[in-house]
Amino acid sequence: MALQETDLGDLPLFAPTKKVYPQSVSGPYRRAKWLILGLCLGVYYLLPFLRWERGPNLPNQAVLADLANARFYFFFIEIWPQEVYYFTGLLIMAAFVLFLMNAVAGRVWCGYLCPQTVWTDLFLAVERFFEGDRRERIKLDEGPWTVSKAWRKSAKHFVWLMIAWWTGGAWVLYFADAPTLVRDLATFQASTTAYAFIAILTFTTYALAGIMREQVCNYMCPWPRIQAALTDDEALNVTYRYDRGDPRVSVKQAERLRKEGQPAGDCVDCRQCVAVCPTGIDIRDGAQLDCIQCGLCIDACDNVMEKISRPKGLIGYDTDDNVKRRIAGETPVYNPLRLRTMIYAALILVVGGAMVWQLATRRTVELSVLHDRSPLFVRLSDGSIRNAYTIRILNKRPDERPVALTVHGLPGIRIEAVGVAATADLRPVVSVAPDSSREVRVLVTLPPDVHPDKTQTITFTAADLFAGEMVTATDHFIAP
Amino acid sequence: MAQHQDHHEVDAHTGVSTTGHEWDGIRELNTPLPRWWLGIFYATIVWSVGYWVVYPAWPLITGATKGVIGYASRIEIAKDLALLQQHRATQSSGLAEASLEQIKADPSLFRIAMAQGKAAFGDNCAACHGVGGGGSKGYPNLNDDDWLWGGTLAEIHQTLQNGVRVAGNADSRISQMPAFGKDGVLKPAEIRAVANHVRELAGLPTEQGADLVKGRELFATNCAACHGDAGKGNKELGAPNLSDAISLYGMDMASLTETITNSRAGVMPAWGQRLDPTTVKALTIYVHSLGGGQ
Ligand code: SF4
Ligand code: SF4
């Protein structure tokens, strides 16, 4: 009893995994990919070693996430925990940049910049080095186990693991002083956490870039789905120009057909584009989810076109609209300045501008005030009313700073800080250690002849006596 | 509706055998689970068996299996607590050696004392004095500047250490006000006159028809020895200042009459007998910092 035939034909829901053996290729896109790979990995592996002079009390590492002291350093920027919204801003910007990239040139992110692509590319190069190119690798996998096969395979896995381990190692260097940590790691003095993270990242790098490769893009990554919803007919995508390629015939047949004045496409069905594809797909089937738009099929096909003396660009970055335009006999155009791209660009500018502005105007002294809840107020023996507050003063600069506290908002109101001496003009001066915060208990007193309403707003001011920087905070003064 | 059929039926379209289940003409293929998935599944089973053996797991009637490594969360807790004690000990040793003045002057010792004092205050003192030391009727407010026994570090320490009216403690703070009414020293009308005079001293309105002259006379003979002529009080004797804006038991006529008739005798434990010396020191620093410290 067979099930009803469906429109799906004989396509199963899931094809069993087929191992992809991408062939090496040369050409401008491949060169661009190598260049980007070198740049990205170079930055990733070496950045922690870049020094940045910050003064005696602060770490001299240019990029450092100092979790123990809750600070993040990025060149001249120092971020405190309460400022993590900068990261929110960066993430929002990153999303818009991704959208913009997508609207302008499809999945360039996937094909050139994504860490999955970069490390997979590197791992493939290692594989190629030990096991040879596509044909040899297929033969090796099909063949019996020999000494040569065994050492090739083990050498490959060994180098993969070394790269993966180095990747994990570089990661932890962003969280502590890199040169010290390298020494500690080598002498087994580093923390368990450091070793654990290196182990985790070694494993994930090895598994994702070595074993899973294109499956990460096809099954695990959400971006292909999202980008499919974001793309439009005017976005550049790696496109097989079927208007020019089809019908596919051999070189000889094509010559004959052309002489006879019959239609003959430029595609010679050599399947070079398929062989080089790292995700193992046939771009001639049209735009598809599995295509990471790495452009390697373009290089492959251009090489073929050169050999058979046909114009290059049978496969190229193009838009759906252009294919249709050519079929209709119109000239293809590409317009990167569309409403969509301009909106994305504007949003990036707005978020980026807001962040730069925020950074430029951020203060290095901060003040927060918390009113005591129990008791809300106290009557003193002379009849005056006093409220107590806990004040926290932040000093984000690398030197010790004296900060004078004042309060105003009610007549005759006085401020004193527990355990802090006052200056001649009765302002308590709290000295705050470099790059840290200090909490003080503050008493605010209203003379007996002032009878305020139940709750009044008062303003606290913290003035840095050296740099002259001033911050204020408001709170309530509560009376019976 | 599910319907059981032959289990070995093979779907001609995909070549996969079916489970024999059919819902409204749709059959379920018997697609095997991926091997890696099964592998993990079996591994978890093996893991759980190991877990039963290693850790306490199976409930028995009077307890539970103990596991082979002798693990128990109680042991872990005991270890953590011991570690905490150790950690505290190093911090406390600094407090133990320093004098109260030195602690106050050293920012890091001060911070430790404040933290310890606050915790100890919450555990021991808050029940009477309130969480923030705000006090209530009969329980002094520690945030104000009115002290029965003095508000310097040494005086606060002394009060904390030895308590107030602790039986059998010679160093305890003791103030003794006679129960003028109960003991028959003053008659109700005289008590009313004294109460009115006390209100006058505090700058509060007096009752109509009150005999203020007699009140002053009675105060001078009976009360001034401790409270002073002007009612300013005396810290040596623990006699409260009656002329300021703060009172412990209330300045209304009813409260004053009650106080003069029956006297008051608040008590506080001698914390020196219950807490270790460093904790008492930390409490002193904390109470002193609440706002009234002198
Ligand atoms: S089809 Fe071409 S662009 Fe797409 S992934 Fe394959 S090689 Fe890269
Ligand atoms: S490489 Fe070019 S010519 Fe060869 S099959 Fe692909 S599209 Fe056709």
Side-chain angles (χ1 to χ4, degrees):
Chain A
M1 280 169 70
L3 291 173
Q4 202 71 41
E5 279 287 335
T6 63
D7 286 338
L8 286 171
D10 54 358
L11 277 177
L13 189 55
F14 266 106
T17 316
K18 266 199 240 109
K19 192 163 179 206
V20 181
Y21 295 90
Q23 192 181 314
S24 64
V25 63
S26 57
Y29 292 104
R30 178 65 269 184
R31 276 198 296 281
K33 269 170 73 71
W34 283 132
L35 193 75
I36 291 169
L37 182 148
L39 272 172
C40 290
L41 291 184
V43 168
Y44 174 74
Y45 288 125
L46 300 177
L47 193 56
F49 295 98
L50 192 65
R51 303 287 95 186
W52 193 268
E53 199 59 49
R54 277 199 188 85
N57 300 306
L58 295 172
N60 292 334
Q61 186 155 322
V63 179
L64 177 69
D66 189 353
L67 296 185
N69 300 310
R71 298 280 183 279
F72 181 82
Y73 303 96
F74 188 83
F75 296 93
F76 61 94
I77 302 171
E78 176 187 336
I79 290 182
W80 284 43
Q82 62 270 39
E83 296 169 315
V84 280
Y85 51 76
Y86 283 117
F87 289 96
T88 317
L90 277 181
L91 287 177
I92 294 173
M93 282 240 282
F96 285 137
V97 169
L98 215 50
F99 293 172
L100 179 62
M101 275 182 169
N102 182 65
V104 171
R107 282 166 68 183
V108 275
W109 166 262
C110 299
Y112 298 85
L113 291 157
C114 176
Q116 174 65 19
T117 292
V118 169
W119 264 282
T120 301
D121 236 9
L122 181 67
F123 275 44
L124 276 172
V126 172
E127 185 168 85
R128 222 168 263 140
F129 178 80
F130 287 110
E131 298 182 10
D133 210 350
R134 177 179 158 88
R135 235 179 270 277
E136 290 138 72
R137 290 210 301 280
I138 296 175
K139 257 215 322 255
L140 194 72
D141 276 0
E142 281 169 354
W145 278 95
T146 60
V147 177
S148 155
K149 178 170 173 173
W151 94 254
R152 280 167 197 285
K153 289 262 171 199
S154 2
K156 172 185 85 176
H157 284 286
F158 177 75
V159 175
W160 276 2
L161 277 168
M162 289 330 271
I163 298 172
W165 167 75
W166 194 18
T167 306
W171 176 261
V172 299
L173 295 184
Y174 285 90
F175 296 86
D177 181 58
T180 319
L181 186 57
V182 167
R183 200 177 324 120
D184 289 352
L185 284 169
T187 52
F188 299 102
Q189 308 269 300
S191 69
T192 329
T193 324
Y195 290 110
F197 267 96
I198 293 178
I200 291 169
L201 280 145
T202 305
F203 171 73
T204 48
T205 310
Y206 174 73
L208 297 184
I211 317 280
M212 298 177 69
R213 296 178 185 176
E214 79 285 351
Q215 297 185 46
V216 175
C217 314
N218 294 351
Y219 301 126
M220 293 166 69
C221 179
W223 181 235
R225 282 90 191 155
I226 299 169
Q227 91 89 33
L230 284 170
T231 195
D232 61 11
D233 288 348
E234 290 187 274
L236 282 180
N237 279 311
V238 172
T239 308
Y240 166 69
R241 292 171 172 131
Y242 59 87
D243 56 304
R244 188 188 131 186
D246 286 355
R248 302 165 195 171
V249 286
S250 71
V251 187
K252 272 197 193 124
Q253 231 182 326
E255 269 170 25
R256 206 193 62 225
L257 285 171
R258 284 198 192 95
K259 261 184 211 137
E260 290 169 10
Q262 301 226 37
D266 276 344
C267 174
V268 293
D269 214 4
C270 62
R271 298 187 63 81
Q272 274 306 298
C273 50
V274 181
V276 300
C277 176
T279 69
I281 55 164
D282 189 342
I283 190 62
R284 297 172 303 166
D285 293 341
Q288 47 207 291
L289 185 98
D290 309 26
C291 173
I292 58 167
Q293 312 238 341
C294 61
L296 293 184
C297 53
I298 304 180
D299 279 344
C301 188
D302 279 350
N303 292 345
V304 173
M305 290 299 118
E306 202 166 0
K307 254 179 239 150
I308 63 170
S309 318
R310 300 293 301 173
K312 289 181 179 182
L314 173 51
I315 305 177
Y317 280 96
D318 205 355
T319 68
D320 281 359
D321 274 358
N322 276 348
V323 175
K324 284 181 207 134
R325 282 195 192 104
R326 274 194 304 272
I327 292 175
E330 300 164 22
T331 29
V333 286
Y334 176 61
N335 180 17
L337 290 176
R338 311 193 300 277
L339 184 61
R340 175 191 287 260
T341 55
M342 287 191 284
I343 289 175
Y344 289 148
L347 285 171
I348 292 168
L349 283 178
V350 167
V351 179
M355 281 175 66
V356 168
W357 181 77
Q358 176 71 31
L359 255 178
T361 58
R362 91 202 255 270
R363 297 173 185 282
T364 55
V365 174
E366 264 177 43
L367 175 71
S368 67
V369 181
L370 186 69
H371 194 289
D372 263 19
R373 279 181 298 172
S374 155
L376 282 173
F377 60 84
V378 175
R379 189 181 282 287
L380 299 186
S381 52
D382 66 352
S384 38
I385 297 162
R386 193 168 72 192
N387 282 206
Y389 305 81
T390 304
I391 279 190
R392 186 172 276 281
I393 305 166
L394 264 59
N395 173 14
K396 295 184 188 173
R397 289 165 59 104
D399 34 39
E400 173 141 9
R401 291 210 273 181
V403 177
L405 292 173
T406 44
V407 65
H408 39 95
L410 284 169
I413 196 162
R414 275 187 296 116
I415 184 170
E416 53 190 309
V418 175
V420 174
T423 53
D425 52 356
L426 296 178
R427 293 186 299 174
V429 176
V430 183
S431 125
V432 191
D435 194 55
S436 62
S437 69
R438 178 161 168 199
E439 200 179 87
V440 278
R441 189 176 155 79
V442 159
L443 309 170
V444 174
T445 314
L446 207 55
D449 51 326
V450 183
H451 302 288
D453 286 342
K454 271 195 169 325
T455 305
Q456 294 279 333
T457 304
I458 53 172
T459 309
F460 292 87
T461 307
D464 170 12
L465 294 183
F466 280 177
E469 211 173 323
M470 215 162 86
V471 279
T472 58
T474 55
D475 206 318
H476 298 300
F477 187 89
I478 298 173
Chain B
M1 237 194 70
Q3 225 175 359
H4 259 288
Q5 292 191 352
D6 180 13
H7 272 244
H8 302 291
E9 188 184 24
V10 171
D11 169 42
H13 182 64
T14 56
V16 176
S17 68
T18 73
T19 60
H21 299 151
E22 185 189 318
W23 287 271
D24 296 340
I26 299 171
R27 273 151 228 253
E28 185 182 35
L29 293 184
N30 190 8
T31 311
L33 288 165
R35 258 184 303 157
W36 63 265
W37 196 95
L38 276 178
I40 292 175
F41 178 59
Y42 292 133
T44 57
I45 294 176
V46 173
W47 177 268
S48 71
V49 173
Y51 207 89
W52 294 338
V53 176
V54 174
Y55 285 102
W58 287 91
L60 306 173
I61 292 166
T62 55
T65 54
K66 292 270 181 283
V68 294
I69 56 165
Y71 171 88
S73 41
R74 272 173 195 282
I75 300 175
E76 294 287 291
I77 281 283
K79 262 192 238 157
D80 284 353
L81 285 178
L83 216 76
L84 183 70
Q85 295 282 306
Q86 222 182 338
H87 186 62
R88 285 231 177 111
T90 46
Q91 289 198 332
S92 301
S93 71
L95 292 189
E97 283 149 26
S99 73
L100 288 166
E101 266 73 25
Q102 285 168 333
I103 295 173
K104 189 146 188 268
D106 180 326
S108 82
L109 282 180
F110 183 72
R111 218 176 27 243
I112 296 169
M114 284 294 280
Q116 279 197 17
K118 189 171 185 177
F121 191 89
D123 290 347
N124 300 294
C125 317
C128 291
H129 290 285
V131 181
S136 62
K137 190 169 176 174
Y139 300 99
N141 183 344
L142 305 173
N143 290 265
D144 62 25
D145 59 346
D146 195 19
W147 295 90
L148 284 172
W149 300 103
T152 64
L153 280 170
E155 286 165 338
I156 294 173
H157 187 261
Q158 160 75 8
T159 310
L160 271 165
Q161 179 79 16
N162 298 302
V164 179
R165 276 180 267 273
V166 179
N169 185 345
D171 296 327
S172 187
R173 303 284 201 188
I174 296 169
S175 65
Q176 226 137 28
M177 169 163 153
F180 290 98
K182 211 167 74 186
D183 299 347
V185 180
L186 296 176
K187 302 201 173 50
E190 293 171 322
I191 292 173
R192 227 187 98 197
V194 174
N196 268 302
H197 176 63
V198 170
R199 283 182 64 84
E200 192 186 19
L201 287 176
L204 298 166
T206 51
E207 278 183 315
Q208 254 197 333
D211 191 345
L212 293 171
V213 178
K214 189 169 165 212
R216 186 178 316 134
E217 272 165 26
L218 286 166
F219 189 88
T221 41
N222 295 290
C223 317
C226 293
H227 293 285
D229 281 335
K232 293 270 183 229
N234 183 345
K235 290 200 176 70
E236 316 249 293
L237 304 167
N241 182 347
L242 304 174
S243 66
D244 64 14
I246 300 166
S247 81
L248 191 49
Y249 292 98
M251 291 294 273
D252 55 299
M253 278 305 287
S255 301
L256 283 171
T257 309
E258 160 73 18
T259 306
I260 302 167
T261 307
N262 295 318
S263 174
R264 305 277 188 179
V267 293
M268 180 170 99
W271 293 106
Q273 295 167 1
R274 301 197 189 183
L275 304 173
D276 60 277
T278 25
T279 309
V280 176
K281 266 192 193 170
L283 268 175
T284 306
I285 296 284
Y286 177 71
V287 170
H288 187 263
S289 80
L290 281 176
Q294 288 156 356

